[in-house]
Amino acid sequence: MNRALDVLIAGTGLVLSSPLLAASALAVKLQDGGPILFRQTRVGRDGELFECLKFRSMVIDAEARLSGVTHLNQNADGVLFKAQAAPRITRVGAFIRRYSIDELPQL
């Protein structure tokens, strides 16, 4: 019974969120014609690596542009890049990040 309820709730959530997912995917694609999803490797429990999918919120060549914007890094230890006005984030990307829509493909 619990499994059936889980599947029903998950299926309902997927159907209800599908218009938002489709609109976000279309907006990302129309922004610059690049890929819709961004795949990132993260470190999980016990140091185990896993891949995470997100809607792409940065320009296509964001990694290549990183060296040109490192002076904007507000993170003191330098491990992560954090900037108030990050020049590599697209307009659509700023919106989907603000409302955490970029995280939805993980579901």
Side-chain angles (χ1 to χ4, degrees):
M1 183 65 180
N2 284 340
R3 172 74 177 149
L5 187 60
D6 288 346
V7 170
L8 178 66
I9 291 172
T12 302
L14 184 60
V15 168
L16 292 176
S17 66
S18 62
L20 178 62
L21 291 168
S24 299
L26 182 62
V28 169
K29 188 65 172 179
L30 291 176
Q31 175 75 38
D32 57 12
I36 295 168
L37 296 175
F38 173 73
R39 185 180 309 266
Q40 184 177 45
T41 302
R42 295 197 175 167
V43 180
R45 185 180 299 176
D46 298 325
E48 191 169 328
L49 299 177
F50 68 97
E51 287 197 345
C52 170
L53 283 177
K54 298 174 73 170
F55 283 125
R56 184 175 55 83
S57 60
M58 291 190 163
V59 294
I60 297 169
D61 59 347
E63 291 298 319
R65 292 186 190 188
L66 182 59
S67 63
V69 295
T70 53
H71 65 282
L72 299 173
N73 194 359
Q74 296 173 334
N75 193 0
D77 61 14
V79 176
L80 299 173
F81 179 82
K82 202 73 162 169
Q84 187 68 26
R88 301 176 304 153
I89 297 176
T90 63
R91 282 184 307 153
V92 170
F95 180 83
I96 64 176
R97 279 186 175 194
R98 179 178 303 132
Y99 298 103
S100 298
I101 297 168
D102 63 327
E103 306 283 347
L104 289 177
Q106 296 174 44
L107 299 176

